[in-house]
Amino acid sequence: MDNVQPKIKHRPFCFSVKGHVKMLRLALTVTSMTFFIVAQAPEPYIVITGFEVTVILFFILLYILRLDRLMKWLFWPLLDIINSLVTTVFMLIVSVLALIPETTTLTVGGGLF
């Protein structure tokens, strides 16, 4: 008898829970950066949010292209958690700094997002 094992079907990243969370995070960060750009906020706000957009896009592309399956020598969930923690700290600092001085409504909106 043939021992044919059924091929495990992988769910595409864009349709997974992790994919939806990353896309939502990307949308919120891009919205925040847009508010900062339109409000002509100080450059560090724009640079930090732009950096976060770049990192989020990197992780999305990495998971879409399934490069995490090829590079097994890295523990991707740990890198994802570290990235989330660093992003949280940076964005929290930017949010608080954007809300402290007299600012425009759009800068406050960027800080809230």
Side-chain angles (χ1 to χ4, degrees), residues 49-67:
T49 52
F51 173 72
E52 295 305 328
V53 167
T54 306
V55 170
I56 295 168
L57 278 174
F58 167 74
F59 273 100
I60 288 173
L61 282 175
L62 180 115
Y63 287 127
I64 285 176
L65 298 175
R66 313 208 43 88
L67 294 178

Side-chain angles (χ1 to χ4, degrees), residues 56-91:
I56 295 168
L57 278 174
F58 167 74
F59 273 100
I60 288 173
L61 282 175
L62 180 115
Y63 287 127
I64 285 176
L65 298 175
R66 313 208 43 88
L67 294 178
D68 57 325
R69 306 266 180 195
L70 293 175
M71 296 186 274
K72 294 185 184 268
W73 44 273
L74 281 174
F75 189 59
W76 291 104
L78 180 64
L79 281 176
D80 229 355
I81 290 170
I82 290 171
N83 174 34
S84 295
L85 290 175
V86 169
T87 299
T88 302
V89 170
F90 276 150
M91 296 308 283

Side-chain angles (χ1 to χ4, degrees), residues 30-41 46 104-107 110:
V30 167
T31 304
S32 178
M33 188 172 73
T34 304
F35 276 131
F36 285 145
I37 289 172
V38 171
Q40 296 177 348
I46 299 168
T104 65
T105 310
L106 290 174
T107 305

